[in-house]
Amino acid sequence: MLTLDTYYPAGGRVEHEIKIIDVKSTQRDDVLIAMAKLPSASVEKPVVIYRQLLANGETEYRTVSARCPHQGADITDDKLNADGNVYCSLHRRPICIFSEYNHAYLTVKRADEFFIVKK
């Protein structure tokens, strides 16, 4: 599990709770892939769920689109770095997950299901 240099709260906002479906494991224990209808989408699209162990011992989940906002490259295999960003493998554009300007959505796990939640 990665220890972040600096930690910021989730920046993405939702009006209502969103259920994440078809959650699947990846080769990394801190990354899951799934489908969700994010606030900016009209249909369910691929998402990535990142798991981070916080300094207080709690686990926090963040969800982002599985596509880079720059040119739509798949980021599911791209690594979360200590600066709180995933760098798209296509053009190295940072996608903020835990950094200052993140647009990641706070996600909770209840039993075996994941939900994007309001803050």
Side-chain angles (χ1 to χ4, degrees):
M1 190 69 59
L2 178 69
T3 300
L4 297 176
D5 293 338
T6 307
Y7 173 84
Y8 294 89
R13 305 274 186 250
V14 295
E15 294 293 319
H16 56 85
E17 193 169 277
I18 299 169
K19 184 174 183 179
I20 301 172
I21 62 170
D22 298 330
V23 179
K24 296 180 177 112
S25 299
T26 66
Q27 293 180 353
R28 297 189 348 244
D29 64 354
D30 62 335
V31 177
L32 301 165
I33 55 173
M35 299 288 289
K37 186 177 175 184
L38 296 178
S40 60
S42 58
V43 297
E44 290 164 339
K45 295 186 177 190
V47 295
V48 182
I49 304 169
Y50 290 92
R51 183 179 66 157
Q52 182 65 36
L53 184 62
L54 304 179
N56 64 7
E58 293 181 20
T59 299
E60 185 179 277
Y61 296 92
R62 302 269 178 107
T63 299
V64 295
S65 171
R67 300 287 176 195
C68 174
H70 178 224
Q71 288 191 337
D74 183 352
I75 66 164
T76 56
D77 291 326
D78 297 334
K79 181 180 150 201
L80 177 62
N81 291 277
D83 65 357
N85 293 300
V86 171
Y87 289 88
C88 172
S89 56
L90 184 61
H91 289 117
R92 306 298 304 149
R93 178 189 172 123
I95 296 119
C96 303
I97 306 299
F98 291 96
S99 65
E100 184 175 7
Y101 302 106
N102 74 77
H103 295 284
Y105 298 96
L106 183 62
T107 302
V108 297
K109 181 179 182 184
R110 296 187 197 122
D112 289 331
E113 296 183 313
F114 289 86
F115 299 87
I116 296 171
V117 294
K118 290 175 73 169
K119 291 198 229 173

